[in-house]
Amino acid sequence: MAAETTVTETTLRAGLVQLNVSDDPAANMPETARMVRAAAREGARLVVTPEVTNIMSASRSHQDAVLKPEVEDATLDHLRDVAAGTGIWLVIGSLALKEPDGDDTRFVNRQFVIAPDGTIAGRYDKIHMFDVTLGGDESYRESEAFRPGARAVTVDTPFGRLGLGICYDMRFPALWRALAEAGAGILLSPA
């Protein structure tokens, strides 16, 4: 679960959490917390969870029924407490969230960097939406459900500047170039 590398003259032990996320955020939360704590116990100082850590559902109506805005999201609150309780840097690969602004009914796919005291050190909204037609009737239109972000984000940590991305962003080199030019030494793209 943990890997070691030397970054900015400091040894960093990182934990990568792999989940089998369901369509029930409340059921996903304890397993996520358990795995984050396990990585911390194994010495990880940076732990990363996957994209949409809180829910995996193709049903827009179900998402609308269970998703919350950032300020009300129980998964975010709980994982902030876990980061503070373990003293680690935690990157929540992303959470599907509602936005309270009212005009756009799409959700956001937001990544969080949580500092060891539980504060939110950075937020990134996924920019590149996965829209594809595979043939026949099979297609995926992430842009119909999620509003894209608009800016590249870096976050300073004791082991280097993080450059944030999520999954499909990996296919767009301009984002990664911008992050590198902004001084990111560690590029993250949880999927």
Side-chain angles (χ1 to χ4, degrees), residues 38-156:
R41 278 192 307 274
E42 291 180 28
R45 293 178 46 219
L46 171 69
V47 178
V48 182
T49 70
E51 180 181 19
V52 290
T53 293
N54 59 335
I55 186 171
M56 182 64 70
S57 174
S59 170
R60 187 102 191 272
S61 61
H62 178 70
Q63 289 173 325
D64 192 49
V66 300
L67 294 181
K68 303 289 183 201
E70 177 181 323
V71 297
E72 299 173 28
D73 188 75
T75 300
L76 177 60
D77 287 344
H78 189 68
L79 291 177
R80 289 177 68 186
D81 289 344
V82 170
T86 57
I88 61 165
W89 284 85
L90 175 62
V91 177
I92 302 172
S94 75
L95 298 174
L97 300 167
K98 286 183 175 178
E99 280 288 89
D101 62 14
D103 284 347
D104 193 334
T105 59
R106 294 178 291 176
F107 310 116
V108 293
N109 190 351
R110 181 167 296 152
Q111 186 174 70
F112 293 90
V113 178
I114 310 300
D117 64 0
T119 60
I120 298 172
R123 293 170 179 82
Y124 166 74
D125 289 352
K126 184 177 181 181
I127 294 173
H128 302 98
M129 299 292 109
F130 183 68
D131 289 351
V132 64
T133 301
L134 299 174
D137 293 336
E138 189 175 9
S139 68
Y140 299 93
R141 297 282 176 256
E142 192 174 32
S143 64
E144 291 177 3
F146 291 95
R147 177 173 57 194
R151 63 184 187 89
V153 175
T154 62
V155 177
D156 289 322

